[in-house]
Amino acid sequence: MPTSTSLASAYQNLYLAATGADDVRLRLGNPANLPRPWIPASCTERRLRAELWSWLDDVATWLNEQYTWDPAAGMIPPCWPHHPHLVNELAVLADQRRRAALDLTSSSLEEWHRYCLPNFYSRLQARMRTGCDEKHTPWPAQPRHDRHRRQTGQRLDAFNNDLTALDTTGDSDRAGEPGPTLRLATDNGETVDPH
């Protein structure tokens, strides 16, 4: 459970936004704009983000000490802050554990042990494999991601072609008149028959 000032305040504000009196909720503003520690990117204030990093590091250390018997079964690697998927998953796992600790019965904690923790470790093992066992491994999917980014124009062309077909077909909701159909295409733009 976070004990730092900004992090505790963020959780308190979320609680008040959900359960507080109308004047308190009005003072907090739009609840969609409140930082949510389980979504690290939403914590944009410097002190809050620093406290979140510290808390997540404590949680990762605690999980490795308390819940990892066999290192081959998956340990959170020391380079976890360099892996966005681990940062995001760890934040959710930590928040779920915090919420379970607030329950007045053991039911939520049992659910955390039964579902959250094993699923976290399954995903950790599937995504990391042995990639960072000895040293940090850069993102192996980087070349494919770069190719995806370079082909943004081709995807936009496909979207625009579909919209143009929609414009020429008219309202596809009219009875008896089919609208445009989405088509599969190869990297060079050739249409593929999915059947």
Side-chain angles (χ1 to χ4, degrees):
M1 174 96 166
T3 57
S4 51
T5 312
S6 293
L7 198 50
S9 213
Y11 275 115
Q12 179 67 20
N13 286 342
L14 289 165
Y15 174 77
L16 291 173
T19 63
D22 289 342
D23 63 320
V24 173
R25 291 194 322 240
L26 185 62
R27 181 180 52 80
L28 290 171
N30 184 349
N33 296 330
L34 292 175
R36 289 164 168 73
W38 58 93
I39 306 173
S42 72
C43 300
T44 58
E45 193 270 322
R46 184 178 178 78
R47 182 173 173 185
L48 173 60
R49 183 77 69 97
E51 290 177 9
L52 179 62
W53 280 121
S54 178
W55 181 45
L56 294 180
D57 196 44
D58 288 346
V59 169
T61 302
W62 174 74
L63 287 169
N64 282 342
E65 288 173 354
Q66 299 293 315
Y67 289 94
T68 305
W69 176 258
D70 177 8
M75 284 187 80
I76 300 169
C79 56
W80 68 265
H82 299 286
H83 298 280
H85 61 94
L86 284 181
V87 172
N88 291 316
E89 292 239 21
L90 190 57
V92 171
L93 187 69
D95 180 67
Q96 288 291 305
R97 178 60 173 82
R98 179 198 66 83
R99 291 179 59 86
L102 296 174
D103 198 347
L104 298 179
T105 70
S106 63
S107 298
S108 295
L109 193 54
E110 168 60 20
E111 295 289 311
W112 186 82
H113 281 105
R114 184 181 302 209
Y115 299 108
C116 294
L117 193 59
N119 286 332
F120 168 78
Y121 278 117
S122 291
R123 290 187 302 267
L124 173 68
Q125 186 69 10
R127 290 181 182 146
M128 297 301 295
R129 296 188 195 116
T130 59
C132 292
D133 283 355
E134 300 299 321
K135 63 182 177 86
H136 174 66
T137 303
W139 185 24
Q142 185 71 49
R144 288 184 77 178
H145 177 70
D146 290 346
R147 184 174 140 248
H148 177 85
R149 299 287 301 249
R150 284 191 306 270
Q151 293 181 347
T152 300
Q154 292 172 352
R155 287 192 307 281
L156 290 175
D157 289 345
F159 303 156
N160 289 330
N161 289 341
D162 180 65
L163 293 173
T164 300
L166 180 65
D167 292 340
T168 60
T169 306
D171 185 2
S172 63
D173 291 334
R174 291 187 297 194
E177 292 184 30
T181 58
L182 295 177
R183 293 168 292 284
L184 296 176
T186 63
D187 285 344
N188 63 5
E190 294 176 21
T191 302
V192 175
D193 182 0
H195 303 290

